[in-house]
Amino acid sequence: MQQRKTKMAATDFIIYSNEPTLSLNEIHLSDDNKDALSQLLREFEHFEVLQQYNLPIVNKVFLSGHTGCGKTTTAKAIAKALNKKIIILNLGNIVSSRLGETAKNITEVFKKATRENAVLLLDEFDSIGKLRDHDDKDSVEMKRLVNTIIQLIDELPANTLLIAATNHPTVIDTALLRRFQLKLKFYMPKNEELDAYYNWLLSKFPEAFRKVDRKYNISYAEAKDRTFSAVKGLIIAHEESKKQREPQANGGE
């Protein structure tokens, strides 16, 4: 007997993270990105007075660039700075599950973000463009999905912040891209930027655990993983060395 596929609700695709969120001041952003995000936060801080002058609030932000360079971390930090909840939706997961139901599920997530006055992060935004090369049926469904998302973006309340993130901006429909007032690019960090990041990461540990090999031409995420792995190795080696010395200190028992 063939099993029926279980329908997944929109909330099944939302990603919740319990990891502590960095502040924007703790993220290594370019000067241009810092200035743009500072303006964004100030607009939300003075939301009501700007509304009185019928001035549009920047509430649609597009983040693009190399993986591991801080796009998701930045989105979380923006939500923290605005004291808003963040709802993270991985479009790659929701699109690949059941394409015919994607528009409905995404609509439900937009409604949830609006109800909760939240920041909505659409991760892997390029997933909307990647499926267009499939068969005719998928192509039609994808066009409907793009039209739905365009409508949802256009109808988004000014106090709800939408952030889209992608590693592949060139595959995304230009009609979608035009909806975003603020577009920020994230580049691979330069050597001096990585050195500053290494120094910041290692400053949290005792001097004895700061002597780690530094690799360059990698992302911040890769640098963080390598640094923490090396520091953990030094700490474990130190603890194991202490245990080996304990019998000698106790008279060799």
Side-chain angles (χ1 to χ4, degrees):
M1 188 173 177
Q2 190 176 9
Q3 289 186 335
R4 297 175 62 185
K5 290 185 178 180
T6 304
K7 281 190 175 184
M8 299 186 74
T11 52
D12 294 328
F13 298 98
I14 295 174
I15 301 170
Y16 294 100
S17 174
N18 294 321
E19 295 179 3
T21 301
L22 297 176
S23 68
L24 281 172
N25 292 331
E26 295 175 296
I27 301 174
H28 293 257
L29 298 166
S30 68
D31 290 340
D32 287 343
N33 287 355
K34 282 180 183 178
D35 291 342
L37 291 176
S38 175
Q39 173 70 14
L40 172 74
L41 298 180
R42 290 168 67 198
E43 288 189 19
F44 271 87
E45 181 183 354
H46 301 282
F47 181 90
E48 292 183 359
V49 68
L50 293 177
Q51 288 281 82
Q52 290 176 10
Y53 287 94
N54 294 319
L55 288 169
I57 305 297
V58 172
N59 68 328
K60 293 176 278 287
V61 182
F62 184 79
L63 309 180
S64 65
H66 193 280
T67 182
C69 287
K71 297 186 296 297
T72 302
T73 303
T74 298
K76 292 179 180 179
I78 292 171
K80 179 178 181 179
L82 294 174
N83 197 26
K84 288 176 178 281
K85 174 182 178 181
I86 186 167
I87 297 173
I88 303 175
L89 183 65
N90 186 306
L91 284 181
N93 293 339
I94 193 171
V95 169
S96 62
S97 60
R98 294 174 74 100
L99 184 55
E101 298 174 4
T102 301
K104 177 183 175 183
N105 284 327
I106 292 179
T107 299
E108 289 302 314
V109 175
F110 266 80
K111 288 180 179 178
K112 179 179 176 63
T114 299
R115 284 196 308 269
E116 300 179 6
N117 190 22
V119 173
L120 174 57
L121 170 61
L122 300 181
D123 205 4
E124 293 193 17
F125 199 61
D126 52 282
S127 300
I128 297 172
K130 283 185 177 178
L131 291 183
R132 289 184 181 175
D133 294 333
H134 286 202
D135 59 40
D136 291 341
K137 181 181 177 182
D138 280 348
S139 179
V140 171
E141 291 290 349
M142 184 55 63
K143 288 177 182 177
R144 290 176 182 168
L145 175 58
V146 170
N147 290 335
T148 297
I149 293 180
I150 287 175
Q151 183 178 358
L152 289 169
I153 293 174
D154 289 344
E155 296 175 354
L156 192 71
N159 63 340
T160 302
L161 178 60
L162 172 66
I163 302 176
T166 178
N167 303 334
H168 309 285
T170 56
V171 303
I172 299 172
D173 193 303
T174 54
L176 278 169
L177 290 177
R178 284 199 302 269
R179 265 64 191 180
F180 293 88
Q181 307 112 310
L182 179 60
K183 300 179 180 69
L184 304 181
K185 292 184 179 180
F186 288 70
Y187 297 97
M188 288 285 282
K190 299 175 183 177
N191 288 359
E192 57 268 26
E193 292 171 333
L194 273 176
D195 270 327
Y197 187 59
Y198 281 125
N199 292 339
W200 178 73
L201 289 174
L202 293 168
S203 66
K204 304 173 184 179
F205 304 103
E207 185 69 33
F209 303 134
R210 296 181 191 176
K211 297 178 181 178
V212 303
D213 291 332
R214 300 186 177 195
K215 186 175 180 180
Y216 300 92
N217 297 317
I218 59 176
S219 68
Y220 286 121
E222 291 170 301
K224 180 180 179 181
D225 289 341
R226 288 179 61 88
T227 299
F228 284 175
S229 178
V231 170
K232 286 186 287 186
L234 291 172
I235 292 172
I236 291 169
H238 176 72
E239 292 301 310
E240 290 176 345
S241 176
K242 280 168 52 178
K243 286 184 179 180
Q244 290 175 359
R245 292 197 300 267
E246 283 175 0
Q248 298 176 3
N250 293 328
E253 294 181 4

